[in-house]
Amino acid sequence: MTATSERPLTAMIDPAVGPPDCAAYERAGGWQAARLALGTLTPAEIIDRVTRSKLRGRGGAGFGTGQKWSFVPKEPASERRKYLIANADEMEPGTFKDRWLLEGNPLQLVEGMILAAYAVQAGHGIVFLRGEYQEACVRLHRAIGEARQRGWLGENILGSGFTFDIHVHSSAGRYICGEETALLTALEGRRATPRSKPPFPQTGGLWGAPSVVNNVETLCNLPHIIANGPEWFAGLGLGEDGGTKIYGVSGRVAKPGAWELPIGTPLHQIIEDHAGGMRPGYQLRALLPGGASTAFIDATALDVAMDYGSVEKAGSRLGTGMAIILDDRTCPIGMIRNLEHFFAQESCGWCTPCRDGLPWVERLLDAIENGTGQDEDMEQLDRHARMLGAPGRTFCAHAPGAMAPLASGLKLFAADFAAHIQQGCCPHHAGAGP
């Protein structure tokens, strides 16, 4: 964890060797931040450093991490029950960044959780892990066990008086669990439905106790911020946001994958220099810049810097930073239908607009794609996109996120929708008919 590392999150990850054990992690600079924090820093000083680092949540919402922590009541962990939860329920289609971190260097997450827990004075840590991440689960359990044996977890860590331990909870597998309040409800053993706010989790979360939920990538940044300083971390970014970001590209590119780059790296650079551009015979038509619940960006807007503000100005969201490519030989209506099928089946069913509206959108798209769509279907799709996509119309952000690719697709691919209806088939599929 040297200050000269331009890719601190992935510097210790080597698939050929496997994740580092405690000794190798320490030789590479690990535990340096935990020693510094528990030995010389107060919780308030850690929150201040994280705030000045300009670290924003890497799970999609992009809320300021230090600001989020500042809402937690200040009582010591010994006086009040508090929880720190790592959201590792990575179910956003097209997103696989947290899996890379969990499998490649789980001790980095463990140290990050120690730092975050000390900052908010939480005595209990939980990793809410996607159930399908079985290899990550094995490696995470091994890392936690070794850290516990070496005194990094448990009672009175490093003689600081601070007690903290971590438990791994494997999710039963619902996309809605990525929403922090639904995650908390699932941890309590109940149906995973979002909660109304207030109270916010920072004051009334898991079993009514103050709780902080942070994404895996967010927590993995903390050891580097504390060890190297907030100014160093802020300087890694190319714009207003601090640090690096794990970006990814999936679709018909030459080299699909994920890369740690300065936050604010231009989108065209990620696609051309790191993903190798499009495969021979394919052209880039549009893309979802941050996973399935973000709006399409046209191929003419690839100069956008991949940071929160710039992508928002371009009409979408940074989200997870994992781009899904739409090429010129893939039917955009088929792609949108596939996404809406996912969102419809993953609705928790708590509120009527989402529970009934998303399956209705899927049925309309099915009809258009299969050649039985009507002109009035377009009016219905537009109405659903406006009604379900507006903030406050549904209980949580699931439906608005689901409407992002649809609403943008209705504008960007209007000619494709019209061709499907007029020709009574999908023009992209040879031989397709009513």
Side-chain angles (χ1 to χ4, degrees):
M1 290 184 197
T2 62
T4 58
S5 175
E6 295 181 354
R7 297 180 181 178
L9 289 172
T10 56
M12 296 188 204
I13 296 180
D14 185 349
V17 177
D21 59 15
C22 268
Y25 183 69
E26 187 160 14
R27 286 195 300 270
W31 306 124
Q32 177 184 343
R35 280 198 177 90
L36 175 64
L38 297 177
T40 64
L41 299 178
T42 66
E45 288 173 328
I46 294 178
I47 294 176
D48 176 67
R49 291 189 181 196
V50 172
T51 301
R52 289 190 288 119
S53 75
K54 300 181 180 180
L55 174 65
R56 296 176 64 171
R58 302 302 201 232
F63 197 78
T65 305
Q67 184 181 5
K68 187 175 190 177
W69 293 354
S70 69
F71 301 142
V72 179
K74 300 299 188 290
E75 294 95 334
S78 59
E79 296 181 10
R80 184 168 184 177
R81 179 169 48 97
K82 302 178 192 176
Y83 295 94
L84 172 74
I85 299 99
N87 187 348
D89 192 56
E90 189 174 46
M91 287 189 65
E92 176 79 5
T95 299
F96 41 89
K97 63 185 181 64
D98 293 341
R99 178 181 178 181
W100 187 20
L101 296 171
L102 289 164
E103 293 183 358
N105 188 7
L107 284 171
Q108 182 175 230
L109 174 63
V110 172
E111 185 176 11
M113 291 184 70
I114 294 170
L115 293 167
Y118 179 67
V120 300
Q121 288 292 285
H124 309 275
I126 301 171
V127 180
F128 192 94
L129 182 66
R130 179 176 176 176
E132 291 84 354
Y133 281 5
Q134 297 182 13
E135 185 62 33
C137 187
V138 170
R139 295 183 179 188
L140 190 56
H141 273 290
R142 186 186 304 135
I144 291 171
E146 188 180 4
R148 192 179 290 127
Q149 288 177 352
R150 294 192 173 229
W152 290 106
L153 294 171
E155 295 186 5
N156 193 25
I157 302 172
L158 299 185
S160 64
F162 178 64
T163 296
F164 176 71
D165 210 342
I166 299 174
H167 169 76
V168 178
H169 174 88
S170 290
S171 168
R174 291 305 302 270
Y175 174 74
I176 196 63
C177 290
E179 198 278 338
E180 63 176 8
T181 63
L183 180 155
L184 297 174
T185 306
L187 278 176
E188 294 174 350
R190 298 185 285 123
R191 175 181 169 185
T193 56
R195 303 177 181 180
S196 60
K197 303 173 186 178
F200 292 89
Q202 293 93 321
T203 55
L206 187 61
W207 292 297
S211 307
V212 170
V213 182
N214 283 133
N215 174 258
V216 166
E217 186 184 354
T218 307
L219 291 165
C220 287
N221 277 295
L222 300 179
H224 310 287
I225 293 172
I226 301 304
N228 298 316
E231 293 77 15
W232 165 81
F233 185 83
L236 293 177
L238 300 181
E240 295 184 359
D241 301 322
T244 60
K245 177 79 184 74
I246 296 181
Y247 296 107
V249 179
S250 59
R252 289 193 170 105
V253 290
K255 297 182 293 183
W259 311 271
E260 182 184 1
L261 303 168
I263 192 165
T265 297
L267 182 54
H268 70 82
Q269 184 177 326
I270 298 171
I271 295 172
E272 295 297 330
D273 296 350
H274 299 281
M278 300 298 292
R279 295 182 192 174
Y282 294 92
Q283 297 292 322
L284 194 158
R285 185 173 182 188
L287 57 87
L288 302 169
S293 60
T294 57
F296 280 100
I297 288 180
D298 186 74
T300 60
L302 299 186
D303 287 336
V304 62
M306 286 289 277
D307 58 42
Y308 297 95
S310 299
V311 179
E312 187 173 344
K313 290 177 182 177
S316 188
R317 294 186 303 111
L318 179 64
T320 61
M322 308 293 281
I324 304 174
I325 298 292
L326 171 67
D327 62 82
D328 61 334
R329 292 166 61 181
T330 296
C331 175
I333 285 71
M335 179 179 179
I336 296 171
R337 181 189 64 170
N338 188 47
L339 295 174
E340 298 307 328
H341 168 72
F342 171 83
F343 289 121
Q345 72 177 4
E346 291 298 329
S347 171
C348 76
W350 187 252
C351 65
T352 303
C354 182
R355 181 187 64 237
D356 295 344
L358 294 183
W360 187 255
V361 165
E362 182 188 357
R363 286 194 293 271
L364 291 170
L365 291 169
D366 274 339
I368 293 172
E369 177 69 357
N370 294 329
T372 59
Q374 305 294 323
D375 289 334
E376 52 265 30
D377 292 343
M378 297 301 297
E379 298 176 9
Q380 288 290 328
L381 285 174
D382 180 70
R383 184 169 180 268
H384 277 77
R386 287 185 288 105
M387 297 296 288
L388 292 177
R393 299 288 177 87
T394 54
F395 199 68
C396 76
H398 179 80
M403 291 300 97
L406 175 64
S408 56
L410 288 171
K411 298 175 182 177
L412 203 56
F413 312 122
D416 295 83
F417 278 100
H420 277 70
I421 294 172
Q422 292 167 6
Q423 298 178 26
C425 67
C426 174
H428 290 265
H429 299 155

